[in-house]
Amino acid sequence: MGYVRHARRGVVIVVGGLVLLGGVALLVLPGPGLLLVLAGLLILAREFPAVDKYVEPVRDRAIQAAEESVTSWWKLTGSILTGLALLAAGVAWGLVDELPFSGWSAGSGLILSGIILFALLIWSHRRVRAARAARGA
């Protein structure tokens, strides 16, 4: 019984740590870094209650950043163009062998980042629109 608990804790540490580190890397690279940081913290908080105090501030900032991305026409257009650029770069990295680090492993990461960006834009747009409708009513 004790082995299962320790094995589970080890898996949580590895998975949560990798997701958290991936999110930190994506804070400076193209991709949803803050959301992956939040996901890593949520995974780690399941096993380590001390991590819980960091979840709420990161969640608030992630939601705020997501909502800010759709508040103006310029920001929304920039986000859409960024998503399209990520998708195009992913296809290019998958197909063009002359590019550095070419291949579908790099390309699929870029494509996945673009898809996640579009999903977040849709979610953020619906959330902001619902909040505006609630204030107007």
Side-chain angles (χ1 to χ4, degrees):
M1 225 30 185
Y3 294 118
V4 172
R5 183 170 172 257
H6 290 300
R8 179 174 184 248
R9 182 170 271 210
V11 168
V12 167
I13 289 171
V14 170
V15 171
L18 287 174
V19 172
L20 182 64
L21 289 174
V24 169
L26 288 178
L27 289 173
V28 295
L29 298 171
L34 203 53
L35 291 172
L36 277 179
V37 168
L38 176 61
L41 288 174
L42 286 170
I43 292 168
L44 290 170
R46 296 180 116 216
E47 196 67 32
F48 304 101
V51 176
D52 231 0
K53 66 182 177 183
Y54 301 107
V55 170
E56 201 57 39
V58 173
R59 178 181 295 158
D60 292 342
R61 182 62 190 123
I63 289 174
Q64 179 186 4
E67 289 175 352
E68 286 174 0
S69 67
V70 295
T71 55
S72 73
W73 182 83
W74 288 104
K75 289 181 180 181
L76 185 59
T77 302
S79 296
I80 290 171
L81 290 175
T82 300
L84 291 173
L86 285 169
L87 293 174
V91 171
W93 253 265
L95 295 176
V96 179
D97 291 333
E98 291 79 24
L99 292 171
F101 306 109
S102 65
W104 284 108
S105 58
S108 62
L110 291 168
I111 291 170
L112 182 61
S113 292
I115 291 169
I116 291 171
L117 175 61
F118 283 124
L120 291 172
L121 285 174
I122 292 167
W123 175 81
S124 299
H125 182 65
R126 288 181 179 172
R127 182 178 169 96
V128 168
R129 192 173 58 191
R132 287 180 182 163
R135 279 186 296 215

